[in-house]
Amino acid sequence: MVLKSYCIIIFSFVLLSCTKDQLIEAQKKLDFKDGDIIELKKPAIDWVKTKNKANKALEFAKSKKLSTEICILIDMSLHSGVKRFVVWDFKNQKILNTYLVGHGCGINSWSRDESKDKPEFSNEDGSHLSSLGKYKLSGRGYSDWGIHVKYLMHGMEDSNTNALKRFIVFHSWELMSDEEVFPNGSPEGWGCPTVSNNAMKEIDALLQKHGKPILMWIYQ
C-alpha cells in the first residue's frame, strides 16, 4: 500500500512537471498586441524570393568567374531562430539544404539573441555587426572556433568592402543549434555568419568538392 501511494505521488509530480514545461513553451509562442493575446507565427523561407535571388546570383557568379554549381543565400529578413541559410543548387534549381545562421550583435550582448528579429548591419570596423552584400568564399583555413575551419569572406560590394579588415569569416560555433529554436533566436557574435558544428561539417565537405570560389549572398 505504501509503495502504491509512493508511485502515485511520483507519477503526479512528473505529470505536473511536464504540464509546467509545456505551459512555459506555450507562453513563449504568445505575444500581446493592443491588450489581446496573439500566437507568434513561425516565419519560413520564401521560395519565390529565394529563387529570384538565385537567378541573380547565377548571373553574378558567371560575371565574376565564381562557381556556377552552387551558392549560399542568407535571408536576414527572417527571424534568427529559423533556418535562413540556404545552399542552392544552380543546375537543378533547388535548395540542397538549409541551416540556422547567426548575425552580429552590435551594441547588444555577445552570445545572446537580443536582435533576433531586428538585426542591424554595418561595414564599419568595430561595429560588431554583419554586413549585407555578396561575398567570394575562398581561402579555407584554421579557426579557433567550432570545428576549427573557416572560410575567408571577400566583400564584393560597397556594403561589405571591409570584411577582411574586420576579420569577418564564415565559421562554426558550439552555441549554434542544429534545429530551429524559434521563438528564441540564434546566439549573436561580432559579425561573422556562424553555423552549428554539424552544419559546418556538411557545408565544408560540399565546398571542398568545388574547384572555384563560392558566392555567398547576405541580403534582407
Side-chain angles (χ1 to χ4, degrees), residues 75 104 142:
D75 187 352
Y142 177 85

Side-chain angles (χ1 to χ4, degrees), residues 140-162:
R140 182 180 185 272
Y142 177 85
S143 171
D144 291 330
W145 302 88
I147 65 168
H148 305 304
V149 172
K150 70 180 178 184
Y151 283 86
L152 299 182
M153 296 173 57
H154 304 263
M156 304 184 77
E157 297 188 291
D158 291 341
S159 58
N160 59 14
T161 52
N162 290 327

Side-chain angles (χ1 to χ4, degrees), residues 2 4 11 45 48 50 59-60 64 73 77 87 128 136 148 152 159 182 188 206 208 210 218:
V2 174
K4 183 177 180 180
F11 177 77
I45 291 172
V48 175
T50 302
E59 294 305 312
F60 184 85
K64 301 297 182 180
L73 304 172
S77 69
V87 179
H128 295 166
K136 177 179 72 173
H148 305 304
L152 299 182
S159 58
F182 180 87
E188 299 163 11
L206 186 62
Q208 290 191 77
H210 298 275
I218 302 177

